[in-house]
Amino acid sequence: MFKDQTVAVTGASGGIGRAIAEMFVANGAKVAICDLELPMETATEIGASAYGFDASNEAQVKSAITAIEEDFGPIDIYVSNAGVGSGNGPHVAGGSNESWELAWQVNVMASVYAARALMPSWIERGSGRFVITASAAGLLNQIGSASYSATKHAAVSFAESIQIEHAQHGIRAHCICPQYVRTNMTKGFDMAENSKDGFLEPSDVAEALKASIEADKFLVLSHPVVADYFAHRATKHDDYLAGMGKLRQKMAGETLPTSK
Ligand SMILES: NC(=O)c1ccc[n+]([C@@H]2O[C@H](COP(=O)([O-])OP(=O)(O)OC[C@H]3O[C@@H](n4cnc5c(N)ncnc54)[C@H](O)[C@@H]3O)[C@@H](O)[C@H]2O)c1
């Protein structure tokens, strides 16, 4: 299905990005992998080409897209996968302004910058696929990280806007919303290790993306149970918030209040 297509994947030196790149290589695509540091070793290992740039720097994104298109032809699929997360600190607004700004730039604006560079030619060509790796935190919440939750919600919303505004131009968006996946981001993270819904491998997420593209489905739910939680949040919001609060207490090892 992806034979000879040009695919760019950001944040792909390891983890989910690398697995997505490997999936596209295995399916015949020409794949450009990008990360902050030139991901030469990964590129050599998986048969992709390496580009080093900061996905949250608009000028660098623009020139990297130009370079990839000069090397391989027009980009058919752009996977905006680079992401960052950090904890709340002492309370919900305890993270520094710098950590919130970094989350906003990498988790949201990186996709805006890439879309800004790609949309004019995609609209003209009448095709293009924009994939955003958001998170289940973008549909639900990440306990312990308000900045991650807020920016991943914005990432889901931007992906929806692409689909809503540009389906008429033949452009498609997909939004990847996993729970915990075994990568550098979750290394040593107790909450992930103890997750009751299971810890997936990055390749599971890549296969879920392939299936969603084939089925032309917007949401990529590698943990299918997320659809149930999302429906619960939409229909019983107060129950959902109370349940998340209890889960937070359990995670923190606090005693749950007795119900009255
Ligand atoms: N691991 C999980 O449980 C999980 C769950 C849901 C969503 N996600 C999302 O999946 C994506 C990939 O994360 P991962 O789990 O593979 O972790 P990871 O840490 O292995 O990968 C993230 C990559 O993004 C790169 N990156 C960070 N800032 C960048 C920037 N400004 N420019 C270019 N590259 C940058 C990092 O160098 C790293 O290689 C992220 O968006 C993350 O939020 C992860």
Side-chain angles (χ1 to χ4, degrees):
M1 160 167 211
F2 306 118
K3 187 143 180 43
D4 295 329
Q5 296 209 344
T6 302
V7 180
V9 188
T10 68
S13 67
I16 294 171
R18 175 186 167 130
I20 287 173
E22 279 186 283
M23 180 276 287
F24 280 118
V25 170
N27 284 278
K30 299 172 281 183
V31 181
I33 61 167
C34 323
D35 213 298
L36 278 172
E37 306 255 320
L38 187 71
M40 194 50 93
E41 206 179 312
T42 305
T44 307
E45 283 169 12
I46 70 172
S49 302
Y51 296 80
F53 69 94
D54 179 348
S56 67
N57 177 310
E58 184 164 20
Q60 290 186 29
V61 171
K62 212 171 160 196
S63 59
I65 285 175
T66 303
I68 293 166
E69 296 201 320
E70 277 170 10
D71 293 344
F72 299 108
I75 290 174
D76 298 289
I77 304 176
Y78 191 93
V79 185
S80 183
N81 170 78
V84 293
S86 60
N88 280 339
H91 54 72
V92 73
S96 65
N97 286 350
E98 289 73 22
S99 69
W100 275 84
E101 185 56 29
L102 182 68
W104 178 249
Q105 284 297 324
V106 181
N107 296 347
V108 186
M109 294 311 293
S111 297
V112 177
Y113 300 145
R116 191 174 284 153
L118 290 163
M119 282 302 156
S121 59
W122 283 5
I123 291 168
E124 202 176 306
R125 273 164 47 200
S127 67
R129 226 175 255 283
F130 203 100
V131 180
I132 295 180
T133 307
S135 168
L139 300 173
L140 305 166
N141 199 279
Q142 176 62 53
I143 292 169
S145 182
S147 61
Y148 191 76
S149 303
T151 55
K152 291 295 186 177
H153 272 69
V156 172
S157 178
F158 185 62
E160 287 180 345
S161 292
I162 293 173
Q163 179 75 19
I164 291 165
E165 303 292 336
H166 295 294
Q168 59 166 331
H169 299 117
I171 294 164
R172 290 285 174 277
H174 301 274
C175 190
I176 306 177
C177 295
Q179 290 187 296
Y180 294 117
V181 183
R182 209 174 298 281
T183 68
N184 279 340
M185 193 175 265
T186 49
K187 208 174 264 175
F189 190 19
D190 287 349
M191 209 185 281
E193 294 292 350
N194 300 327
S195 164
K196 81 175 170 60
D197 295 327
F199 217 166
L200 295 186
E201 297 303 325
S203 58
D204 298 322
V205 179
E207 284 310 310
L209 172 61
K210 180 169 174 264
S212 288
I213 292 177
E214 282 167 353
D216 210 13
K217 278 192 73 176
F218 173 79
L219 276 184
V220 181
L221 296 181
S222 44
H223 292 82
V225 72
V226 170
D228 300 333
Y229 297 153
F230 190 40
H232 177 62
R233 173 182 149 158
T235 51
K236 296 192 170 163
H237 208 158
D238 290 308
D239 290 353
Y240 158 79
L241 290 173
M244 289 296 277
K246 279 185 189 164
L247 184 60
R248 188 204 68 77
Q249 284 180 298
K250 193 170 156 209
M251 298 290 185
E254 294 172 12
T255 315
L256 294 176
T258 45
S259 52
K260 294 195 174 141

